[in-house]
Amino acid sequence: MLQRRNSKQRSVIRDYLWGRIDHPTAEKLYNEIRVEHPKMSLGTVYRNLMLLTDLGEIQAIDVGDGITHFDPNPAPHAHFYCTKCHQVHDIHIADYDRVKEMFASHDEGIIERCNVNMIGICKDCKSE
Amino acid sequence: MLQRRNSKQRSVIRDYLWGRIDHPTAEKLYNEIRVEHPKMSLGTVYRNLMLLTDLGEIQAIDVGDGITHFDPNPAPHAHFYCTKCHQVHDIHIADYDRVKEMFASHDEGIIERCNVNMIGICKDCKSE
DNA sequence: GTTTTTGCAAAGTATTTGCAAATGG
DNA sequence: CCATTTGCAAATACTTTGCAAAAAC
């Protein structure tokens, strides 16, 4: 594997994503980071998010809205995409691995990942 | 709802997608159609695939490869995306609705759709 | 006839990339 | 020092859109 250096930018990007549950896009992170770090470039944000994803440190979420969202939690879990507020929410269920098993038994391929996305109106938007 | 006219182009696009299990992209369909219908434009293919999707006649599949694939079967079912051959395959299981139920009980939102995508190496590529 | 749909080309949106300069170990 | 990483801007990839002409009913 390639050699890595701990750049300041990478650590800033990691810090800005760490602990969040709102699944920001690369551009959203960039705009937030830019306030404190005006020299940070969008390309660097993309490059590092992709790198951290490849390293398995974070995960990239594709819910079908055409924009990649990022999740600091690399553990497999489902997501909910609200078509009204365009936010991505986590859905944690105890036996997520069961889903993979349900489909693995019906397909002879090698399943590496299992992505589950619910699309609809989230509970916050519903009650408005 | 809007009034619809049955254009020749729409019917050609519908015919080219009908019965297929290979989940072509808009561009793939366009290239195939172009052989017989050189005047067909890519914009028309995109517009009609989107329209047919909105009408619920077909479905758009987003497996996370950045390109929308189309499926003539509008019934909810899971998909398998092969990272080697970049093909999308169907995975039909008897109780697909169970998946939605598993997550619905853990979220108070209104779930309109449930997308399940397995990512890995398909059985054809595995055996090579 | 009037409204929808088309072809074409241009624009839009998200992301990737080339390259010289800066940085990290 | 030398390989990695950056900022910047340009390029790319997929999709959408504006508009005048053509087609549908």
Side-chain angles (χ1 to χ4, degrees):
Chain A
M1 198 195 236
L2 247 76
Q3 200 183 322
R4 298 274 155 243
R5 291 183 181 179
N6 293 320
S7 72
K8 246 193 217 167
Q9 287 86 337
R10 182 138 65 238
S11 127
V12 166
I13 293 164
R14 200 187 270 115
D15 289 350
Y16 266 82
L17 186 58
W18 175 253
R20 291 176 70 155
I21 57 161
D22 65 338
H23 309 84
T25 62
E27 188 130 28
K28 188 173 188 201
L29 277 171
Y30 167 65
N31 284 323
E32 292 174 4
I33 291 171
R34 218 157 37 135
V35 177
E36 273 194 273
H37 307 270
K39 283 296 208 173
M40 176 80 69
S41 84
L42 184 55
T44 297
V45 174
Y46 271 105
R47 271 187 289 231
N48 279 290
L49 288 172
M50 199 177 316
L51 175 67
L52 295 174
T53 300
D54 289 345
L55 294 173
E57 210 179 297
I58 65 174
Q59 71 173 300
I61 310 294
D62 198 328
V63 286
D65 63 345
I67 319 171
T68 304
H69 297 255
F70 294 91
D71 190 333
N73 177 8
H77 58 279
H79 292 97
F80 186 108
Y81 175 70
C82 178
T83 51
K84 200 170 168 188
C85 66
H86 307 289
Q87 291 278 314
V88 176
H89 304 269
D90 289 316
I91 311 183
H92 292 289
I93 70 169
D95 52 351
Y96 186 77
D97 288 345
R98 264 279 293 134
V99 182
K100 190 169 166 178
E101 286 165 24
M102 284 171 73
F103 293 94
S105 55
H106 286 258
D107 193 274
E108 297 158 55
I110 302 162
I111 296 174
E112 275 154 16
R113 294 193 45 166
C114 164
N115 294 335
V116 176
N117 301 309
M118 303 292 148
I119 318 293
I121 311 288
C122 72
K123 61 176 195 286
D124 297 338
C125 288
K126 188 182 76 173
S127 54
E128 270 168 21
Chain B
M1 202 197 232
L2 246 76
Q3 199 182 322
R4 297 273 155 244
R5 290 181 183 181
N6 293 320
S7 72
K8 247 191 217 169
Q9 287 85 339
R10 182 137 65 237
S11 124
V12 165
I13 292 164
R14 200 186 270 116
D15 289 351
Y16 266 82
L17 186 59
W18 176 252
R20 293 176 69 155
I21 57 162
D22 64 337
H23 309 83
T25 62
E27 189 131 26
K28 187 172 188 203
L29 277 172
Y30 167 65
N31 284 323
E32 292 174 3
I33 291 171
R34 222 165 25 145
V35 178
E36 273 196 271
H37 306 270
K39 283 296 208 174
M40 177 80 69
S41 84
L42 184 56
T44 297
V45 174
Y46 270 105
R47 270 187 290 231
N48 279 291
L49 288 172
M50 201 179 312
L51 176 66
L52 295 174
T53 300
D54 289 346
L55 294 173
E57 210 179 297
I58 66 175
Q59 70 173 300
I61 310 295
D62 198 328
V63 286
D65 63 345
I67 320 171
T68 304
H69 297 256
F70 294 90
D71 190 333
N73 177 8
H77 58 279
H79 292 96
F80 186 107
Y81 176 70
C82 179
T83 52
K84 198 169 169 192
C85 65
H86 308 289
Q87 292 278 313
V88 176
H89 304 270
D90 289 315
I91 310 184
H92 293 287
I93 70 168
D95 52 351
Y96 186 77
D97 287 347
R98 264 280 293 135
V99 182
K100 190 170 167 177
E101 285 164 26
M102 283 171 73
F103 294 94
S105 55
H106 286 259
D107 192 274
E108 298 158 55
I110 302 163
I111 296 174
E112 276 154 14
R113 295 192 48 165
C114 165
N115 294 334
V116 176
N117 300 310
M118 302 291 148
I119 318 293
I121 311 287
C122 73
K123 61 175 194 288
D124 297 338
C125 288
K126 188 183 75 173
S127 55
E128 271 168 22

